[in-house]
Amino acid sequence: MTHATIVILGAGVSGLTTALLLSRNERYSITIVAKHMPGDYDIEYASPWAGANMLPVSKDGTPSNQYERDTWPEFAKLARDAPEAGIHFQNTVAYRRSKDTGTAVSDWMSELVRDDAWFRDLMPDFKAIPKSELLPGTDGGNSFTSVCINTALYLPWLVSQCLKNGVVVRRGIADHIADAASLHHSGKRADVVINCTGLSSLRLGGVEDRTMYPARGQIVVVRNDPKIMATISGTDDGPEEATYVMHRAAGGGCVLGGCLQKDSWESQPDPGLAIRIMKRCIELCPKLVPAGKGIEALSIIRHSVGLRPMRERGIRIETERIACPEGKQLTVIHDYGHGGYGYQTSYGCSMAVERLVQEAVGTQAKL
Ligand code: FAD
């Protein structure tokens, strides 16, 4: 059997999910090379900071919409059948306030809270929140069953599944995307390089995608459990501040967020923002704390900051032929720019990459 040699640059949720899907095909010999791995917490590495949950945000009919539609069944399967992956089902409510319309956070959530949401047939137990159950100041919203992912368990689980399927995982830094071609564990030149470098695609040689920018997210992780996931379309604390609560599976704590601060590279938590986040989350989910208590009743595990890898035109999944310094051509498949939805699009994106790999390897075989 001929093997295609593949190097995946990046070990975030995009690189690891892609490696997992490709590793099910015995024709592929795969090396993951990354500067950061599961277990690391670094501002250049978005995946460990995510909540993470699946709150659909794409517009119907777009590529991202297909990625979300393709991802949900995979997460539901893992939540049902693979407790070791650290994913569980959660009742979810998303409220809308009309007065938020036009802010960055409300734009981000507009599909989630609209009356005729496209995912009403996808997510289980979907229903519009009855008027009698709306919070003061809200005028609509949806409830459904989703999942929450304990990323501290899920990312290592992805690595272990890849290792079981023969993927080789190693540390490395590529200054130029073409450098990755010489990093396959066999010593052979890679037939295909898959670029899953997230926000680093802004500066990575040979890619330098100037349409990438960070959207800073700050969270507080607490031990309290409100037994529900909840969010709302905006806040009274500024257009870039958000409120969401999600309880992670298997002791992962409860993530309180957040914000969506465009073009901010600040890696340190802002204490004032942390207090606003905690207050808003208790207002949204009073069951976070005993009746009558405030933020003093939250048991804080840590304060964290991550940068969402945003791209002006959304996720880039595309094949490119790049000229290498030694004069050869290299096939690069890009998979980056997942913004605030890298988990909830992860399987769909990796399926799309898989189709491009099949095309690329087939083409090369004919040459
Ligand atoms: P990353 O996780 O950033 O991984 C990039 C990888 O590339 C790393 O391994 C890095 O070391 C490597 N790399 C980069 N450059 C090089 C190089 N030159 N050489 C070698 N290796 C390199 N998404 C959801 O779906 N649901 C959520 O609830 C959610 N919540 C979020 C909350 C916060 C606070 C934040 C910050 C994000 C959230 N997201 C959520 C978004 C999600 O985290 C990202 O979209 C996703 O993690 C991006 O993954 P990635 O693999 O593309 O990039």
Side-chain angles (χ1 to χ4, degrees), residues 84-115:
E84 69 278 15
I87 301 179
H88 66 174
F89 290 112
Q90 289 270 278
N91 294 332
T92 307
V93 284
Y95 297 97
R96 183 186 65 228
R97 310 189 310 173
S98 308
K99 69 173 176 179
D100 298 322
T101 306
T103 66
V105 168
S106 143
D107 285 352
W108 171 27
M109 295 193 182
S110 60
E111 295 294 321
L112 180 66
V113 295
R114 61 185 282 171
D115 288 333

Side-chain angles (χ1 to χ4, degrees), residues 103-215:
T103 66
V105 168
S106 143
D107 285 352
W108 171 27
M109 295 193 182
S110 60
E111 295 294 321
L112 180 66
V113 295
R114 61 185 282 171
D115 288 333
D116 56 344
W118 63 263
F119 55 88
R120 58 190 177 275
D121 299 326
L122 182 72
M123 308 299 284
D125 310 313
F126 181 94
K127 68 179 169 81
I129 301 173
K131 286 222 164 7
S132 59
E133 291 172 25
L134 289 174
L135 297 179
T138 64
D139 45 62
N142 298 313
S143 71
F144 52 94
T145 296
S146 185
V147 289
C148 188
I149 303 162
N150 180 346
T151 58
L153 295 184
Y154 181 60
L155 293 170
W157 179 83
L158 284 173
V159 174
S160 67
Q161 299 304 298
C162 290
L163 292 171
K164 199 162 75 177
N165 290 353
V167 174
V168 173
V169 182
R170 40 160 68 170
R171 295 265 180 180
I173 301 178
D175 292 329
H176 191 284
I177 188 69
D179 298 348
S182 60
L183 299 177
H184 192 268
H185 63 272
S186 64
K188 290 185 193 149
R189 191 171 182 277
D191 296 312
V192 177
V193 167
I194 304 177
N195 171 25
C196 298
T197 58
L199 193 52
S200 297
S201 284
L202 175 64
R203 298 205 179 96
L204 178 64
V207 181
E208 290 154 305
D209 185 339
R210 299 295 176 211
T211 69
M212 293 290 296
Y213 61 94

Side-chain angles (χ1 to χ4, degrees), residues 197-355:
T197 58
L199 193 52
S200 297
S201 284
L202 175 64
R203 298 205 179 96
L204 178 64
V207 181
E208 290 154 305
D209 185 339
R210 299 295 176 211
T211 69
M212 293 290 296
Y213 61 94
R216 180 178 179 276
Q218 180 170 325
I219 56 172
V220 186
V221 187
V222 298
R223 296 183 181 83
N224 310 55
D225 178 4
K227 308 239 177 319
I228 196 162
M229 285 203 299
T231 191
I232 186 165
S233 61
T235 78
D236 294 330
D237 293 331
E240 291 192 318
E241 297 210 10
T243 309
Y244 56 84
V245 175
M246 57 178 104
H247 193 253
R248 286 171 161 181
C254 186
V255 174
L256 311 181
C259 61
L260 186 77
Q261 295 170 331
K262 187 171 185 248
D263 291 325
S264 171
W265 294 88
E266 178 54 59
S267 65
Q268 296 308 303
D270 167 352
L273 173 55
I275 288 172
R276 292 196 295 280
I277 288 172
M278 291 188 280
K279 283 185 174 166
R280 291 198 302 260
C281 286
I282 291 174
E283 214 173 297
L284 179 67
C285 270
K287 286 191 178 148
L288 257 175
V289 291
K293 299 278 187 188
I295 64 171
E296 74 286 355
L298 290 172
S299 173
I300 297 172
I301 301 170
R302 65 176 174 274
H303 297 271
S304 304
V305 173
L307 302 180
R308 300 176 182 90
M310 311 296 286
R311 184 167 178 269
E312 280 167 18
R313 280 165 295 146
I315 300 170
R316 182 182 185 196
I317 297 187
E318 191 179 17
T319 304
E320 188 180 13
R321 297 277 289 163
I322 287 184
C324 297
E326 70 273 22
K328 288 189 181 143
Q329 291 270 308
L330 173 66
T331 300
V332 174
I333 298 173
H334 298 287
D335 179 14
Y336 67 86
H338 298 82
Y341 35 86
Y343 282 83
Q344 65 195 46
T345 54
S346 55
Y347 282 90
C349 289
S350 298
M351 290 171 195
V353 170
E354 196 176 16
R355 290 190 287 275

Side-chain angles (χ1 to χ4, degrees), residues 3 30 40 55 59 68 74 113 142-143 172 212 214 223 333:
H3 280 84
I30 303 163
D40 299 342
L55 299 183
K59 294 212 181 318
E68 288 189 332
E74 301 297 325
V113 295
N142 298 313
S143 71
M212 293 290 296
R223 296 183 181 83
I333 298 173

